[in-house]
Amino acid sequence: MNILVVGAGGREHTFCWKLAQSPLCDQLFAAPGNAGTTTVATNLPVSVTDFQGIKAAVLKHDIKMVVVGPEDPLVMGIHDFFKADSALQQVAVIGPEKEAAQLEGSKEYAKAFMMRHQIPTAKYQAFTAETVVQGEAFLETMEAPYVLKADGLAAGKGVLILQDLQEAKRELRKMLLEQKFGAASSKVVIEEFLDGIELSCFVLSDGKGSITLPMAKDYKRIGEGDTGLNTGGMGAVSPVPFVDAEFQKKIDETIVQPTVAGLKKDGLRFKGFIFIGLIKVGDIPKVIEYNVRMGDPETEVVLPRIKTDFVEILNAIATERLDRIQLEVDHRSATTVVAVSGGYPESYQKGFAISGLETTEEAILFHAGTIHKDGMVTTSGGRVLAVTAMGDNHQEALERSYQKLNKIHFEGINYRKDIGFDL
Ligand code: AMP
Ligand code: GLY
């Protein structure tokens, strides 16, 4: 079977790396891919939201499965686009249809879903420009810190956590009345602050049943000790040591099962990955957010732990046969550390040559923001590489990730030295 991976980050390189290991995968393509995906796939110069371009590539290369990495094409309806086109109806799309993608595309939609299906989450209310005064009054009834969330997609930047009530009111006005996050903040969810430690839970769903993948934890802040600005993710570990059997059971019973049952009750046949952002408040897991895709850099630690053939898994999602999959998991720890461009997540320069990319025993190199230029691999984004390693525990795995990172150079390279510090 010929397969196309849509996307260009570390997550998509990891998908390609895993798919290429399967005897069921014939030709593999990435659109647009990066320098890393070219080692196992053919890159196609098509953007992730160019549905006509993707269609042309699918027909030209006889592609039978499309694995969608990022949220934008899903929220824009790539799955529906394939379903509605008679030339594409036979192609399996891994990723939900537009309606279910609203779980990530609209915070209010996700909150209403959780309320409807009694899934534990922070208390909230949603406001628009017309109800900004009620929004301010609602803030007065809350305690600091105040959590304001742009309803729509805002590239991970749409959440504000503020200590001061007056500032929260000002920011609410900026979001609703001055389009602080563009159309994404024409509606704002104000919610209760949840205090605890975060983790990421990934669920495979075929529309009928589900399989929960190994848990992961990512490190979102740029600075050591989880300080400074939010990023796309600076590192990740899997498994998560504080998730014992009892806590896992709580996650399954109070969150995963009601989520999968809720989708079915609502008539949403979700075929893809459900990413549940969780927070452990005391001993209680609560949902911070849903995403309708895999996480990045979590994919870089979750997929290397999956021993089961990945094409078989995705085929089972497409054909509603997940119940036949026996997921085999590597019980070792996986860690990844992300090397970023100097200055990221604020402005940074691109185009620097990267050295030290040779394959080694100790680690797997997943590319994120890299391209080929003048016969060299150069930086082309904020997050440049994710260096994944395995070990008997996360300390051992991390040592290997850092050993490999020490050999990698590009101008301005930066990475956190403390991934896993809190475990
Ligand atoms: P989100 O885009 O919803 O994942 O939010 C981004 C980040 O803001 C999360 O990863 C959390 O660290 C934080 N956050 C979001 N909602 C809350 C909340 N209700 N309480 C505490 N922290 C939150
Ligand atoms: N690592 C968080 C995300 O992919 O959204």
Side-chain angles (χ1 to χ4, degrees):
M1 177 164 53
N2 294 348
I3 302 174
L4 170 66
V5 173
V6 172
R11 167 183 51 213
E12 288 76 20
H13 183 191
T14 313
F15 280 161
C16 287
W17 169 83
K18 192 75 186 163
L19 290 166
Q21 293 166 18
S22 169
L24 300 170
C25 179
D26 295 320
Q27 284 178 277
L28 183 59
F29 299 90
N34 57 37
T37 58
T38 61
T39 59
V40 281
T42 304
N43 283 0
L44 305 172
V46 180
S47 96
V48 301
T49 52
D50 175 7
F51 295 175
Q52 291 297 344
I54 292 172
K55 172 183 173 175
V58 163
L59 297 178
K60 178 172 174 195
H61 298 290
D62 193 28
I63 287 162
K64 289 289 186 275
M65 178 183 283
V66 176
V67 187
V68 186
E71 63 276 18
D72 281 320
L74 293 166
V75 172
M76 284 172 63
I78 191 170
H79 196 145
D80 312 62
F81 174 86
F82 270 68
K83 259 180 103 173
D85 190 320
S86 56
L88 299 174
Q89 275 164 358
Q90 301 307 315
V91 179
V93 178
I94 305 301
E97 290 168 43
K98 193 172 180 172
E99 170 77 19
Q102 285 298 300
L103 282 179
E104 177 163 2
S106 162
K107 303 269 187 211
E108 190 191 23
Y109 183 96
K111 295 299 273 190
F113 176 88
M114 289 183 253
M115 291 298 131
R116 199 155 60 242
H117 302 296
Q118 284 102 47
I119 295 163
T121 187
K123 288 192 207 65
Y124 81 107
Q125 274 189 38
F127 300 93
T128 62
E130 285 72 48
T131 55
V132 65
V133 176
Q134 288 92 315
E136 289 177 315
F138 183 64
L139 280 171
E140 278 169 16
T141 69
M142 313 275 285
E143 277 169 34
Y146 305 93
V147 182
L148 307 182
K149 297 185 170 186
D151 181 63
L153 292 184
K157 298 191 173 75
V159 176
L160 299 180
I161 298 179
L162 304 161
Q163 293 298 333
D164 179 69
L165 177 62
Q166 294 314 320
E167 195 189 352
K169 287 184 181 177
R170 269 198 306 277
E171 290 296 335
L172 177 68
R173 285 191 165 264
K174 279 192 203 157
M175 289 170 91
L176 289 174
L177 307 179
E178 294 166 31
Q179 273 85 40
K180 174 162 180 153
F181 298 106
S185 67
S186 59
K187 196 183 275 175
V188 171
V189 167
I190 301 178
E191 69 179 34
E192 167 200 10
F193 179 81
L194 299 176
D195 198 7
I197 185 161
E198 287 178 62
L199 65 152
S200 306
C201 170
F202 299 97
V203 179
L204 303 168
S205 164
D206 65 0
K208 290 200 314 200
S210 67
I211 294 177
T212 303
L213 296 175
M215 297 287 157
K217 179 172 195 328
D218 81 340
Y219 292 81
K220 288 202 179 89
R221 303 295 196 94
I222 186 72
E224 272 148 31
D226 284 340
T227 55
L229 293 173
N230 254 323
T231 71
M234 298 295 291
V237 301
S238 177
V240 180
F242 62 79
V243 180
D244 56 14
E246 195 188 335
F247 191 62
Q248 177 84 46
K249 188 162 173 265
K250 277 187 198 161
I251 295 173
D252 279 334
E253 289 176 356
T254 66
I255 291 168
V256 175
Q257 288 168 26
T259 297
V260 173
L263 286 166
K264 268 203 279 191
K265 258 189 227 159
D266 291 351
L268 303 171
R269 290 195 319 153
F270 193 113
K271 292 191 174 188
F273 301 96
I274 312 170
F275 168 174
I276 315 180
L278 296 175
I279 188 158
K280 182 175 184 275
V281 184
D283 285 330
I284 314 265
K286 295 191 178 190
V287 178
I288 289 266
E289 63 166 350
Y290 286 111
N291 296 304
V292 297
R293 53 173 173 83
M294 281 298 290
D296 193 351
E298 291 96 324
T299 304
E300 289 91 309
V301 290
V302 171
L303 284 198
R305 296 190 57 220
I306 305 294
K307 292 180 174 171
T308 315
D309 185 294
F310 197 45
V311 178
E312 237 171 76
I313 293 176
L314 299 185
N315 257 330
I317 290 177
T319 56
E320 301 182 0
R321 290 191 180 118
L322 262 185
D323 56 345
R324 298 193 193 169
I325 296 286
Q326 274 289 3
L327 194 73
E328 246 197 287
V329 174
D330 186 329
H331 289 288
R332 288 177 300 163
S333 290
T335 58
T336 201
V337 180
V338 178
V340 303
S341 296
Y344 172 83
E346 297 186 277
S347 66
Y348 56 87
Q349 284 180 294
K350 307 181 201 180
F352 298 118
I354 310 171
S355 64
L357 295 174
E358 300 74 27
T359 325
T360 45
E361 285 282 294
E362 74 253 39
I364 322 165
L365 266 181
F366 294 120
H367 291 227
T370 67
I371 50 164
H372 285 288
K373 205 176 79 184
D374 308 328
M376 291 180 301
V377 176
T378 64
T379 63
S380 68
R383 290 193 288 171
V384 177
L385 296 161
V387 182
T388 294
M390 310 286 293
D392 289 332
N393 49 51
H394 63 265
Q395 289 89 343
E396 192 179 293
L398 278 164
E399 250 170 60
R400 293 183 179 139
S401 286
Y402 284 118
Q403 257 169 37
K404 177 63 187 164
L405 263 168
N406 278 331
K407 298 175 192 152
I408 296 174
H409 299 285
F410 57 84
E411 197 177 316
I413 185 171
N414 179 31
Y415 53 87
R416 270 179 66 170
K417 318 285 183 295
D418 70 338
I419 299 305
F421 77 98
D422 54 340
L423 299 176

